[in-house]
Amino acid sequence: MKFVSFSAVSMILAAAAVTLPATGASAADRDKKFFESVEGNWAGPGEIVAGKYKGTKFNCTFAGKTPGNKPGMVLDGSCRVGVFTQKMTASIEHKAGRYQGTFLDGAEGKGLDIISGNVVESGQKVVLAINRKQLNGIMQARLASDNTMNVTISVRVEKQLVPVIGVSLKRLDTTAVGSID
């Protein structure tokens, strides 16, 4: 298996606090609620569970907000492994009839692209397709409650998706921004 550097892994982790909505009128309402429910400050531990850096533990902090009245997310934060810290920035928006996003400077630079995604399970979970050159995979984020989000990042190795990163984030804000029905 070929895995990426810490900075690329940390860019994938930025996806933990970012979501993409599905299409359709009722889906748009549901997805807007989901975006609003993940606004705010989040932090928590994670671990690389496969590959060369298996067993590496890290901590991340994120601040997310929706860009005005439209669906999307703007993210700022960082992930830390030991004494090393990687700044995290991300932006997701509706463009040309679909949702697109970048982490850091996108796949053309040293970052990642979000190429598609959907909110599923009655608005409780998002599944995003991520891409960086030869790295293809998915990120799944599930709201276990208003204040807990569990994230799994998997990469495609040959024809199989292999989980490589797990993160459990807790809301740092005193109250949840929104609630999912």
Side-chain angles (χ1 to χ4, degrees):
M1 283 187 225
K2 181 179 178 185
F3 293 100
V4 293
S5 68
F6 171 68
S7 62
V9 168
S10 61
M11 288 179 279
I12 294 170
L13 293 172
V18 181
T19 61
L20 289 177
T23 57
S26 63
D29 292 340
R30 178 194 67 209
D31 295 340
K32 185 174 180 187
K33 285 182 186 179
F34 186 85
F35 275 109
E36 291 170 351
S37 75
V38 298
E39 278 188 323
N41 298 308
W42 297 82
E47 182 175 353
I48 299 174
V49 296
K52 181 178 178 180
Y53 300 105
K54 181 178 180 176
T56 301
K57 295 180 187 312
F58 53 87
N59 282 289
C60 297
T61 58
F62 301 108
K65 64 181 181 175
T66 56
N69 245 357
K70 56 186 180 177
M73 182 65 65
V74 176
L75 174 74
D76 191 28
S78 63
C79 290
R80 181 178 51 82
V81 174
V83 297
F84 300 100
T85 299
Q86 174 70 44
K87 181 150 178 60
M88 297 290 133
T89 59
S91 178
I92 294 198
E93 62 182 330
H94 188 263
K95 251 177 155 172
R98 66 184 183 106
Y99 288 90
Q100 302 172 35
T102 59
F103 297 99
L104 299 179
D105 55 356
E108 292 296 317
K110 294 182 179 180
L112 282 170
D113 290 337
I114 292 176
I115 56 176
S116 65
N118 286 301
V119 175
V120 296
E121 292 183 12
S122 300
Q124 297 293 319
K125 178 179 173 181
V126 65
V127 180
L128 305 171
I130 54 177
N131 176 267
R132 176 177 165 69
K133 299 178 180 165
Q134 292 83 27
L135 173 70
N136 290 297
I138 63 167
M139 186 280 299
Q140 297 180 57
R142 187 178 73 78
L143 286 169
S145 71
D146 286 344
N147 298 312
T148 304
M149 185 170 12
N150 298 312
V151 179
T152 303
I153 293 122
S154 302
V155 297
R156 188 163 304 283
V157 178
E158 297 175 6
K159 294 183 181 182
Q160 186 176 6
L161 280 172
V162 177
V164 293
I165 298 172
V167 183
S168 181
L169 297 168
K170 299 285 184 192
R171 182 180 295 283
L172 298 178
D173 308 283
T174 56
T175 59
V177 174
S179 180
I180 298 177
D181 298 331

